[in-house]
């Protein structure tokens, strides 16, 4: 599967299917943490390689068009697996509209795939930026803070609330940069910059292992793999990498 395939197939239907758990055998590894490190096989099918989507992305195993299609497939299939019953009346639902909808067999309510908005942002204090890390992330990696947008909240309010909750920093003006679908399982990452109006960090140690201010030189050292503490930036497949890069390069 490659980008040429997706370009030529662009006008034709593209199908995706889930392998049932029973068809797959686990040889080793675990799925805890950032990457799914299970070694999985389909008995009798040596021609199939089973690789998790994050690994496909981080290793650059397919081009951007194929990756986008795989992300779409992952998001929609995981929605189907979790929406077999109607939240309105509890009866079974069935797929409709080529998988883009589910319908309740009893109350006839139509259900549509959900997308969960997540803000991901870089707080800036002049020539410094705020990065944090979660304990489950790859060792040494620091990244932008992030969190789900809550009901009734604007993007700007979510950005300010998350920074305040996770790092104790007050923030003002918010600017949008770009977004990225993140099908784990169904998020849309909304990338922003935000101007910090306070400086003293208070880390929420339930959410984060650490949060710190980094000077632009520190961030350049991270990108060039020469940070004295071995600190690394988020992977290029993640929008956090590009938010940080735009600021580090002075292209804000
Ligand atoms: Zn129903």
């Amino acid at each position: 599967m490659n980008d040429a395939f997706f370009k030529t197939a662009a006008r034709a239907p593209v199908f995706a299917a889930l392998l049932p758990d029973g068809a797959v055998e686990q040889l080793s590894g675990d799925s805890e943490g950032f990457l799914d490190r299970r070694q999985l096989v389909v008995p009798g099918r040596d021609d199939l390689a089973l690789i998790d989507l994050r690994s496909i992305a981080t290793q650059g195993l397919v081009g951007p068009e194929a990756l986008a299609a795989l992300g779409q497939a992952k998001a929609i299939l995981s929605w189907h697996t979790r929406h077999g019953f109607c939240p309105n009346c509890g009866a079974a639902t069935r797929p409709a509209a080529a998988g883009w909808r589910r319908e309740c067999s009893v109350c006839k309510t139509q259900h549509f795939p959900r997308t969960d908005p997540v803000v991901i942002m870089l707080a800036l204090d002049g020539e410094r930026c705020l990065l944090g890390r979660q304990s489950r992330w790859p060792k040494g990696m620091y990244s932008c803070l992030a969190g789900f947008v809550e009901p009734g909240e604007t993007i700007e309010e979510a950005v300010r609330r998350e920074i305040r909750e996770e790092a104790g920093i007050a923030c003002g003006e918010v600017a949008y940069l770009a977004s990225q679908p993140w099908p784990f399982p169904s998020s849309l990452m909304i990338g922003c910059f935000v101007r910090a109006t306070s400086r003293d960090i208070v880390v929420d140690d339930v959410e984060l292992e650490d949060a710190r201010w980094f000077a632009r030189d520190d961030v350049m050292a991270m990108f060039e793999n020469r940070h004295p503490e071995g600190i690394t930036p988020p992977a290029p497949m993640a929008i956090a990498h590009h938010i940080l890069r735009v600021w580090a390069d002075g292209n804000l």
Side-chain angles (χ1 to χ4, degrees):
M1 191 189 304
N2 55 36
D3 271 15
F5 167 80
F6 276 94
K7 278 177 181 139
T8 54
R11 288 194 187 84
V14 176
F15 293 90
L18 282 179
L19 275 178
D21 287 346
V24 176
E25 191 177 314
Q26 182 173 342
L27 300 183
S28 64
D30 63 64
S31 57
E32 299 299 312
F34 190 71
L35 295 176
D36 187 341
R37 298 186 186 282
R38 292 175 298 171
Q39 191 190 352
L40 301 171
V41 294
V42 179
R45 292 295 303 270
D46 294 343
D47 56 324
L48 296 180
L50 302 186
I51 307 168
D52 77 285
L53 185 57
R54 274 201 182 94
S55 297
I56 290 172
T58 53
Q59 294 172 33
L61 300 181
V62 299
E65 295 213 10
L67 195 59
L70 291 174
Q72 186 181 55
K74 180 172 172 62
I76 200 105
L77 288 173
S78 65
W79 175 74
H80 280 290
T81 62
R82 291 177 289 117
H83 291 79
F85 296 92
C86 176
N88 191 42
C89 77
T93 60
R94 58 173 176 248
W100 286 100
R101 194 168 77 217
R102 294 188 74 88
E103 292 175 354
C104 176
S105 52
V106 174
C107 76
K108 309 300 179 195
T109 304
Q110 296 183 335
H111 302 284
F112 296 91
R114 59 184 281 171
T115 297
D116 302 315
V118 173
V119 286
I120 180 161
M121 55 273 162
L122 192 62
L124 302 174
D125 171 38
E127 284 299 295
R128 301 187 305 170
C129 70
L130 181 70
L131 299 175
R133 63 167 280 110
Q134 296 179 10
S135 55
R136 67 188 185 89
W137 287 354
K139 191 169 179 290
M141 188 185 98
Y142 276 68
S143 187
C144 299
L145 305 191
F148 285 101
V149 178
E150 292 183 347
E153 219 173 27
T154 63
I155 290 170
E156 290 85 347
E157 287 167 339
V159 165
R160 294 186 198 109
R161 175 184 51 75
E162 284 290 339
I163 296 271
R164 189 177 66 243
E165 286 177 359
E166 294 191 359
I169 298 292
C171 286
E173 184 187 358
V174 175
Y176 169 78
L177 176 68
S179 65
Q180 178 185 31
W182 192 252
F184 305 102
S186 55
S187 296
L188 177 66
M189 311 299 287
I190 302 165
C192 296
F193 295 101
V194 59
R195 197 184 304 281
T197 57
S198 73
R199 288 176 179 165
D200 295 334
I201 295 171
V202 182
V203 175
D204 172 5
D205 55 17
V206 175
E207 296 277 339
L208 295 177
E209 185 178 81
D210 189 25
R212 296 196 222 168
W213 293 108
F214 287 84
R216 199 185 298 263
D217 288 349
D218 289 327
V219 174
M220 290 313 291
M222 289 161 59
F223 279 118
E224 290 162 14
N225 204 20
R226 55 174 178 79
H227 193 280
E229 295 170 64
I231 292 176
T232 56
M237 70 136 171
I239 191 173
H241 180 102
H242 303 278
I243 297 172
L244 195 54
R245 185 93 234 185
V246 164
W247 175 75
D249 288 343
N251 290 331
L252 207 56

